[in-house]
Amino acid sequence: MKKKILINILFIFSLIFIFRYTMLPNASLGIGMNKGEINFIPLINLGNPLSPDFMVNVGGNIVLFIPFGLFLPLKFPKLRRTLTVTLMGLSLSILIECIQLSMPNRCTDINDVILNTSGTYIGYRIFRKFLAAYNVLV
């Protein structure tokens, strides 16, 4: 029972974490502070790979969805397939980008969808490594 409660809390926190950084402005990270834009061209506008802005954008979008990919299969054991979890991350990311279309200070960017989906996949792979390493079925 305690394990289920912990899994529920961790899953909810992963969603709150995503919501916090995709829907609310954050001046310290420069998120939601400029006029909104739309980018439908993949891998464009990522910036200089050696710049801190690049790391915040690329690394931040990946890290943002790792907990989702990790805790989704814990919360919903029937979703323990790579493709299913990755598509769930893709769907959540597309939903967020669609909502951001209506927000004046948010950018809608195909790169975010790609990076968020990658983060979900990485989180799921971490989940699978944990299962294999500890030989458990949570």
Side-chain angles (χ1 to χ4, degrees):
M1 185 64 161
K2 288 182 183 182
K3 186 168 61 171
K4 277 191 167 200
I5 292 170
L6 179 61
I7 289 169
N8 286 336
I9 289 170
L10 291 171
F11 180 70
I12 289 168
F13 274 129
S14 77
L15 293 175
I16 291 170
F17 182 63
I18 289 169
F19 174 80
R20 167 65 182 96
Y21 288 101
T22 59
M23 298 296 161
L24 303 175
N26 185 323
S28 65
L29 294 175
I31 298 171
M33 307 312 294
N34 301 321
K35 185 178 184 300
E37 300 173 350
I38 300 173
N39 173 35
F40 292 119
I41 304 170
L43 307 177
I44 276 247
N45 298 330
L46 287 176
N48 177 356
L50 302 176
S51 75
D53 289 342
F54 179 86
M55 292 308 295
V56 168
N57 183 28
V58 174
N61 276 297
I62 291 171
V63 168
L64 187 64
F65 272 69
I66 288 175
F68 181 75
L70 180 62
F71 298 126
L72 180 71
L74 282 171
K75 170 84 173 120
F76 301 103
K78 291 185 179 182
L79 299 180
R80 290 188 180 173
R81 296 184 52 135
T82 304
L83 184 60
T84 304
V85 173
T86 304
L87 288 174
M88 295 292 288
L90 173 69
S91 300
L92 178 59
S93 185
I94 289 171
L95 175 66
I96 289 166
E97 296 303 317
C98 288
I99 291 169
Q100 287 179 342
L101 277 171
S102 67
M103 301 171 77
N105 292 349
R106 299 305 305 215
C107 294
T108 298
D109 194 335
I110 189 65
N111 294 320
D112 291 350
V113 173
I114 294 166
L115 296 168
N116 297 159
T117 304
S118 299
T120 302
Y121 175 78
I122 291 167
Y124 181 73
R125 296 310 307 163
I126 292 169
F127 166 79
R128 296 299 304 174
K129 292 284 185 194
F130 173 78
L131 286 183
Y134 292 98
N135 196 22
V136 295
L137 288 175
V138 182

